[in-house]
Amino acid sequence: MAILVRAKSFLSSSLSSLTRSQRCNHTLGERGLQAELYSGMAPAPNPALRPIDTSKWKKIQASKVGISLSMISYPSWIVLKILHKGGFEAYLVGGCVRDLLLNRTPKDFDVITTANLKQIRKKFHRAEIIGKRFPICRVHIKGSIIEVSSFETVARHDADKEKALSSLLPKICDEKDLIRWRNSRNRDFTINSLFFDPFTCNIYDYNGGMSDLKSLKLRTLIPAHLSFQEDCARILRGLRIAARLCLSFSKDTERAMYDLSASIGGLDKFRLMLEVNYMLSYGAAVQSICLLQRFNLLNILLPFQAAYISQHRATKNSMMLMKLFFNLDKLVSCDHPADSSIWVGLLMFHLALVNNPQDALVIWTFASVLCHGNWKEGVEFAREYTKLEVKFVPEISEFSETKSDEDLAKEVAQFASLVQDSVGVLTETSNLFESMSRYPFSPCSGLVFVPKITAKNTAKLFDLMVEDIRSFINGRGRMSPEINFHLLGIGDPCETRFVLGKIILETMKAGPRGDATEIGNDEKDLQPKATEEILSNNEIPAKKVKKHAPSLFIPDGNRGMLKKQKLVDDDTAIKNQEMVTKDELNDLAEKHQEFVKTCKLSENKTNSMQGKISEKEEKSKKDKEKKPKKHTKAVEKSKEHIALHTVSKKQQRVVRELNLREEDEMDNLEKVLGKEEVMERTEEHKGRAGEERSGVSSLSSLFR
């Protein structure tokens, strides 16, 4: 919930300085007209269509919402400049603009231009046109692939629709605005319909995308049922975006997702694999699985895993599957994704365990050998940690510490073989139905979508363990314990084995009551109902700081494209924070302790201490020999005032508890400061806090 509140407070505070004068003086139809507008495109015209009132088009200065040119990837910037120098308009569009606004690292940067596809291809040495229905040009530059689309493609494809829309526009309308608006109407969701012109540094919003981004809401551009009927893959895309950004759904969108969820079974297997990989390999696997379960899509895509979750939800047992993906989420992100072999390998490992429960020592050894890269070190580590009692049902059958190395090697090799065999459940319908006999009352669509080549390559990861595990060497050598994300992203076998072992070890170390139980907390931030149903028995431990803040605008563009972005707590974020994590409590305690130490000065050093607190007080050295008197009420008022400016109302209780613990030390403040000095510093502090807050204001002026 804290993440959601930070996101809302950030959007509210960062855009308030934008006034109505910054909006385009053009037109856009009201949301209530969307159904009328699109129904009017049917063969029978809708007589209720009216001219579009356009005062809601917005043009926003990028620097006002914290976007700078330095945040654009270098290859994308090269593509944009080449097109611009060629005399064409070029924009960033879609999800990358949304992610930049939310202080997220975009998965990719999509470019759209007024040049046609042939003109785009001529501008670059390595470029090819792909796609039939909506062709695009793929530009290879600086080791990256940038997808460039043309305004002309969409306009030609939906000529009849565009003609119907254009007839509702005012006669006087800027041509560039008209081109952008027409294209935006073909996007899936409002928050993906934003354009960013890096040469004028303006963001164009024609569909209320900024408003929905402010409220963290996912809404389709056209009536949701119609949108998902046009392309049911938008359902999966919407769930993926909501999972990664912690978004809620509009009522229309949520209802349509429920009603049309079964339609995704008709999608091409390649498309399904693409969407599921985006969900599981980019740091939001747990949230994605929960949303898939909530909208009855997991039964279609991964029926065995859906049945497993349903059974554990009913029995309130801790779920090893969810904890495996929780630990995967801690390692990967949009700027450091994993290859699909990671999540396919985790599913294979878990399938083998559910169908063939193992001794805990065997699991420890299996994972440790993968992680350490050789048998000897792996066994030593496993025997040390096997003393920890880990209870996963039905995955762990027993606990033993007395197995000989020879017996242990045989059992681990046998288990590795079972892991390889379990890949058939993901690739063969017959194997899937056979495995589902374990859950006879659970639905099974019989759909399998994992490509056989992907399954085969993943199964090969365990070949060395099956053949001769005692001579197993990963090949990674004694590399850094840090993950090489480049190798992980391209599916390097050695790096993939290392990360698989690391994830399983972390899951075993945590057990049913360790870090992985934080799943419940994360999911509650996203979808409270889904979380409580799926992981109701999990506890909430100290939370690791996330790599990305889901929605923090930093004004004036004072932020770079960091590889590992961390949540930055400023005054505004702290003020609106609703939950106090252990890390924040520790930080608060440290700040409080520093304040106490500053105040704990002797009477003879009063003037020097005063000089450190305020430059003004350096001029008051004439009062050096004066003894300050006790002013208990003023001191208590000062302590409370400073605490209230440091934390939110939700945290006042914690601050007061810290004050009580340090009561003896804080009493020294009375011996150091007099009443006048305390009040003066309090007012000075209030002034500084007010100045800081004035730099970041709310969205009210923009969304009136």
Side-chain angles (χ1 to χ4, degrees), residues 285-294 322 523 530 534-535:
V286 169
Q287 295 95 323
S288 297
I289 290 172
C290 288
L291 285 177
L292 288 172
Q293 180 83 347
R294 174 185 168 189
M322 300 300 285
E523 293 174 58
I534 293 179
L535 295 163

Side-chain angles (χ1 to χ4, degrees), residues 420-610:
Q420 287 183 320
D421 293 341
S422 65
V423 73
V425 178
L426 303 174
T427 57
E428 300 291 343
T429 301
S430 58
N431 290 7
L432 175 59
F433 279 123
E434 183 180 349
S435 68
M436 287 300 293
S437 62
R438 183 181 184 87
Y439 306 106
F441 300 106
S442 296
C444 180
S445 63
L447 174 67
V448 290
F449 60 87
V450 176
K452 291 187 177 181
I453 185 64
T454 301
K456 183 179 179 180
N457 290 336
T458 307
K460 282 183 178 179
L461 295 172
F462 309 102
D463 278 348
L464 296 175
M465 302 183 75
V466 174
E467 294 168 0
D468 186 3
I469 191 170
R470 301 193 73 168
S471 60
F472 170 79
I473 297 178
N474 188 10
R476 193 174 186 269
R478 294 185 176 275
M479 293 174 61
S480 167
E482 298 297 323
I483 298 172
N484 186 319
F485 286 99
H486 171 70
L487 295 178
L488 183 65
I490 62 175
D492 176 76
C494 296
E495 200 66 25
T496 302
R497 277 191 289 261
F498 167 70
V499 175
L500 278 173
K502 186 179 180 68
I503 291 170
I504 298 170
L505 286 178
E506 287 299 319
T507 302
M508 293 291 286
K509 285 180 185 177
R513 299 188 177 222
D515 290 343
T517 55
E518 188 180 348
I519 297 168
N521 189 31
D522 282 354
E523 293 174 58
K524 284 178 182 176
D525 292 342
L526 176 68
Q527 298 292 346
K529 292 182 180 178
T531 303
E532 291 171 4
E533 290 178 358
I534 293 179
L535 295 163
S536 58
N537 66 319
N538 286 338
E539 298 174 3
I540 303 173
K543 182 174 182 179
K544 178 181 176 181
V545 177
K546 262 293 191 187
K547 286 171 280 202
H548 300 284
S551 61
L552 295 174
F553 288 4
I554 303 177
D556 302 323
N558 294 327
R559 60 179 182 185
M561 188 59 61
L562 302 179
K563 289 186 177 180
K564 290 286 181 180
Q565 298 179 23
K566 293 189 177 180
L567 186 64
V568 179
D569 287 329
D570 57 11
D571 287 342
T572 305
I574 293 176
K575 180 179 178 182
N576 293 278
Q577 187 173 347
E578 290 190 358
M579 296 179 67
V580 182
T581 65
K582 292 184 179 179
D583 290 341
E584 292 167 332
L585 185 59
N586 292 336
D587 291 341
L588 185 60
E590 290 175 5
K591 291 178 181 178
H592 182 76
Q593 189 65 25
E594 290 177 5
F595 177 75
V596 171
K597 290 180 180 178
T598 303
C599 297
K600 193 176 180 180
L601 297 175
S602 64
E603 296 179 7
N604 297 330
K605 295 182 180 180
T606 300
N607 286 326
S608 63
M609 190 279 296
Q610 291 174 342

Side-chain angles (χ1 to χ4, degrees), residues 120-135:
I120 297 169
R121 185 171 57 184
K122 289 180 181 179
K123 288 289 179 182
F124 302 95
H125 295 296
R126 295 182 59 205
E128 72 270 5
I129 298 173
I130 62 170
K132 294 181 180 180
R133 187 182 177 192
F134 290 102

Side-chain angles (χ1 to χ4, degrees), residues 42-142:
N46 187 342
L49 289 176
R50 298 170 297 188
I52 297 174
D53 175 23
T54 53
S55 59
K56 294 182 180 179
W57 286 7
K58 302 185 187 74
K59 181 173 68 175
I60 303 164
Q61 192 67 27
S63 61
K64 297 289 185 181
V65 289
I67 296 181
S68 66
L69 298 183
S70 64
M71 299 166 65
I72 303 174
S73 71
Y74 184 56
S76 304
W77 180 238
I78 293 176
V79 171
L80 289 163
K81 288 190 72 174
I82 290 175
L83 291 170
H84 186 70
K85 286 184 178 180
F88 303 106
E89 296 287 326
Y91 306 87
L92 291 176
V93 66
C96 64
V97 183
R98 172 203 71 212
D99 287 346
L100 291 176
L101 286 168
L102 295 175
N103 194 24
R104 290 264 183 170
T105 302
K107 179 173 62 65
D108 46 40
F109 288 84
D110 292 332
V111 175
I112 190 166
T113 178
T114 52
N116 61 43
L117 294 178
K118 291 182 178 179
Q119 290 171 325
I120 297 169
R121 185 171 57 184
K122 289 180 181 179
K123 288 289 179 182
F124 302 95
H125 295 296
R126 295 182 59 205
E128 72 270 5
I129 298 173
I130 62 170
K132 294 181 180 180
R133 187 182 177 192
F134 290 102
I136 61 171
C137 190
R138 294 179 63 183
V139 178
H140 299 259
I141 191 165
K142 297 291 182 181

Side-chain angles (χ1 to χ4, degrees), residues 208-242:
M210 296 292 286
S211 177
D212 287 335
L213 209 54
K214 173 211 169 189
S215 57
L216 295 176
K217 181 147 299 198
L218 193 70
R219 180 172 60 86
T220 55
L221 275 155
I222 63 178
H225 281 79
L226 179 59
S227 178
F228 296 150
Q229 286 169 355
E230 286 183 356
D231 183 4
C232 60
R234 289 175 176 173
I235 297 175
L236 294 176
R237 197 179 310 129
L239 294 181
R240 167 173 39 102
I241 294 170

Side-chain angles (χ1 to χ4, degrees), residues 106 179 197 263 267 274 276 285 312 348 375 378 406-407 464 552 573:
I179 291 172
D197 185 343
S263 62
L267 283 173
L274 185 69
V276 173
H312 280 66
M348 290 167 56
W375 171 256
E406 185 176 352
D407 291 340
L464 296 175
L552 295 174

